[in-house]
Amino acid sequence: MQRWKLTLEYDGRPFVGWQRQDNGPSVQQTLEEAIERLSGETVRVHTSGRTDAGVHALGQVCHFDLEKPFTGLKLRDALNFHLRPAPVAVLLAEAVPEDFHARMTCLGRSYVFRIVNRRAPLALETGRAWHVMRPLDAEAMHAAAQVLVGRHDFTSFRAALCQANSPVKTLERLAVERVGEEVRVHAAARSFLHHQVRNMVGTLELVGAGKWSADDLRRALEARNRSAAGPTAPPDGLYFVNARY
Amino acid sequence: MQRWKLTLEYDGRPFVGWQRQDNGPSVQQTLEEAIERLSGETVRVHTSGRTDAGVHALGQVCHFDLEKPFTGLKLRDALNFHLRPAPVAVLLAEAVPEDFHARMTCLGRSYVFRIVNRRAPLALETGRAWHVMRPLDAEAMHAAAQVLVGRHDFTSFRAALCQANSPVKTLERLAVERVGEEVRVHAAARSFLHHQVRNMVGTLELVGAGKWSADDLRRALEARNRSAAGPTAPPDGLYFVNARY
């Protein structure tokens, strides 16, 4: 038996999310079925972080065990063949020791959230970025975002359905930059609460629009109450970038 | 009567190309119908450059005349409303003098061609980039590309169906750069022959793969024979970037 680590790219649009659900195709099911078609083995795939419906990945990580022997190159190419035409690509397949666990041994996750900030609707980036029409001040967003960096109780940015034991997390990085008409929010932490990145981005948008100050953001954090923070940004702009081990 | 200049973004995937055709939706028809729904006027839209099926635009330019008065902002927003859900967005609508002509007064056009150069298939960029699996040397491609810059007879890079009077064109810029796993080819000229960019890119790919030298490229150019150059790159990676007046 060999444990395999995969690095994945996927387009979140056609999926109900990472996790298997009854109401539509998931990345997990798509991948487990491709593995079964390839190997004849029924496996359970574990991910470093479950993404919601519509959320994309540039470098998601998952693991599973196979009896049948493969090389990493062969496994990657064969899985990509069996994944077609689903928009999921295996970028890398690596043999790892059996104490590797995509979720439990992960030391850090990072996301990027893309906002296209312009008046005109999206033609090329529909479903792949959040379209914000009102002008955003990315520098003000970045300055305010530093309020959230560090170890805090993130209850104000936590989805009602979040299953984490504790709302206390350490946010390692929250950086906002403007690249042309795009505003990008980079977030890194050991782990995140459910909807935490989207809730932080939805609140930072209020700062960018000049509706909120950095002090308003600090008060929202300190309130430890979801209703004190801003709205949840749509999944379209969110990309899982990588998992560190 | 007012002449209007539009700057457009579009996703080329669902279209048979810019030009009206019987076999499917075109950007031209989509736009002319949106203008008619908005104004009640039947207009003919002229573009700076007809793009082929599957070719995208970041800043295509076109013009048309309207009797009904508008402001630029109002025309842009109203056209975007009437264009939904087609993946065509009006970035800018500007009133221009009646001697403006999107094609005939255009002083320069530029394109970018995106190659994703990796083993794994595309998940997020399907239809939006050319997937080349074998490793490409972007520096060798850039160096060889300079053979094509300047005033030349581009018969070797001209589609059989090209309607231009002369195969002689002045290529102002052909630059190749690597950005991570992406190889981008930037091309600028007053005007291009039909399929010229895609034929140049398809030939440069041979250079990048080490199959052709810069001298081979020079001989292909000098042969003035389409069969002497490389294959036509797919439309997926081609973006019309802008038109200069």
Side-chain angles (χ1 to χ4, degrees):
Chain A
M1 184 123 97
Q2 176 64 54
R3 179 152 294 189
W4 290 98
K5 173 190 177 191
L6 300 184
T7 304
L8 302 175
E9 177 182 287
Y10 51 81
D11 182 336
R13 281 177 289 185
F15 297 110
V16 295
W18 170 272
Q19 197 170 13
R20 268 184 189 266
Q21 292 178 57
D22 293 335
N23 60 330
S26 60
V27 181
Q28 183 186 6
Q29 183 182 351
T30 300
L31 194 55
E32 287 174 352
E33 289 176 356
I35 294 166
E36 185 157 4
R37 280 194 296 275
L38 167 64
S39 65
E41 299 175 46
T42 303
V43 303
R44 168 80 184 278
V45 176
H46 298 267
T47 181
S48 66
R50 296 171 187 167
T51 50
D52 288 315
V55 173
H56 316 290
L58 299 168
Q60 176 66 280
V61 172
C62 64
H63 84 263
F64 58 95
D65 299 324
L66 277 186
E67 297 284 351
K68 194 173 171 183
F70 285 95
T71 65
L73 295 179
K74 171 73 183 165
L75 182 61
R76 178 187 62 182
D77 290 351
L79 272 179
N80 281 327
F81 174 81
H82 286 283
L83 281 164
R84 288 175 178 268
V88 179
V90 179
L91 303 180
L92 200 58
E94 297 166 280
V96 286
E98 63 180 14
D99 62 355
F100 176 90
H101 191 289
R103 180 169 52 85
M104 292 196 290
T105 65
C106 181
L107 300 176
R109 284 123 174 135
S110 66
Y111 288 89
V112 63
F113 193 104
R114 297 176 57 212
I115 298 170
V116 174
N117 187 212
R118 70 182 193 193
R119 181 82 187 162
L122 308 183
L124 274 161
E125 300 296 331
T126 312
R128 297 164 43 114
W130 182 20
H131 178 216
V132 173
M133 292 171 77
R134 56 185 179 181
L136 297 177
D137 179 341
E139 287 181 31
M141 292 167 74
H142 179 76
Q146 304 323 303
V147 164
L148 301 178
V149 173
R151 183 175 161 86
H152 301 287
D153 179 330
F154 282 99
T155 298
S156 300
F157 300 92
R158 178 187 197 179
L161 293 171
C162 181
Q163 294 169 355
N165 290 325
S166 162
V168 176
K169 294 286 175 189
T170 300
L171 184 61
E172 290 161 18
R173 180 179 183 228
L174 191 63
V176 185
E177 60 167 348
R178 176 173 282 279
V179 182
E181 66 183 12
E182 219 176 294
V183 174
R184 294 186 193 150
V185 182
H186 304 273
R190 178 161 188 136
S191 63
F192 289 91
L193 299 167
H194 191 204
H195 283 185
Q196 185 182 344
V197 177
R198 289 165 59 190
N199 290 337
M200 293 191 302
V201 170
T203 309
L204 285 173
E205 194 270 343
L206 297 171
V207 175
K211 302 287 176 190
W212 276 39
S213 67
D215 276 347
D216 292 330
L217 186 63
R218 187 188 310 274
R219 276 190 289 272
L221 174 66
E222 289 171 355
R224 301 180 191 181
N225 181 338
R226 177 69 191 95
S227 65
T232 307
D236 314 47
L238 188 58
Y239 295 72
F240 188 104
V241 176
N242 73 54
R244 190 160 47 83
Y245 295 90
Chain B
M1 185 123 98
Q2 175 64 56
R3 180 152 292 189
W4 289 99
K5 173 191 178 191
L6 300 185
T7 304
L8 301 175
E9 176 182 287
Y10 52 82
D11 182 337
R13 282 176 289 185
F15 297 110
V16 295
W18 169 271
Q19 197 169 12
R20 269 183 188 266
Q21 292 178 58
D22 294 334
N23 60 332
S26 60
V27 181
Q28 182 186 5
Q29 182 181 351
T30 300
L31 194 56
E32 287 173 353
E33 289 177 355
I35 294 166
E36 185 157 2
R37 279 195 295 276
L38 167 65
S39 66
E41 298 175 45
T42 303
V43 303
R44 168 81 183 277
V45 175
H46 299 265
T47 181
S48 65
R50 296 171 188 168
T51 50
D52 287 315
V55 173
H56 316 290
L58 299 168
Q60 176 66 280
V61 172
C62 66
H63 84 264
F64 59 96
D65 298 324
L66 278 186
E67 298 284 352
K68 194 172 171 183
F70 286 95
T71 66
L73 295 179
K74 170 74 182 164
L75 182 61
R76 178 187 62 180
D77 290 351
L79 272 178
N80 281 327
F81 174 81
H82 286 284
L83 281 164
R84 289 175 178 269
V88 179
V90 179
L91 304 180
L92 199 59
E94 298 166 280
V96 286
E98 64 181 13
D99 62 355
F100 176 90
H101 191 289
R103 180 170 52 84
M104 292 197 290
T105 64
C106 181
L107 299 176
R109 283 120 174 140
S110 65
Y111 288 89
V112 64
F113 193 103
R114 296 177 57 211
I115 298 171
V116 174
N117 186 213
R118 70 182 192 193
R119 182 80 187 163
L122 308 184
L124 274 160
E125 300 296 332
T126 314
R128 298 163 42 114
W130 182 21
H131 178 215
V132 173
M133 291 171 75
R134 55 185 179 181
L136 297 177
D137 179 341
E139 286 181 31
M141 291 168 75
H142 179 76
Q146 305 322 304
V147 164
L148 301 177
V149 173
R151 184 176 159 87
H152 302 288
D153 179 330
F154 282 98
T155 297
S156 299
F157 300 92
R158 178 187 197 178
L161 293 170
C162 181
Q163 294 170 354
N165 291 325
S166 162
V168 177
K169 294 286 175 188
T170 301
L171 184 60
E172 290 160 18
R173 180 179 183 227
L174 191 63
V176 185
E177 59 167 349
R178 177 173 282 280
V179 181
E181 66 183 12
E182 220 176 293
V183 174
R184 295 188 192 148
V185 183
H186 304 272
R190 178 162 187 136
S191 62
F192 289 91
L193 299 167
H194 191 203
H195 282 184
Q196 185 183 343
V197 178
R198 288 166 58 191
N199 289 338
M200 292 191 301
V201 170
T203 309
L204 285 174
E205 193 272 341
L206 297 171
V207 175
K211 302 287 176 190
W212 276 38
S213 67
D215 276 347
D216 292 330
L217 185 63
R218 188 188 309 277
R219 277 190 288 272
L221 174 67
E222 289 170 355
R224 300 179 193 182
N225 180 338
R226 177 70 191 93
S227 65
T232 306
D236 313 48
L238 188 57
Y239 295 72
F240 189 104
V241 175
N242 73 53
R244 191 161 47 84
Y245 294 90

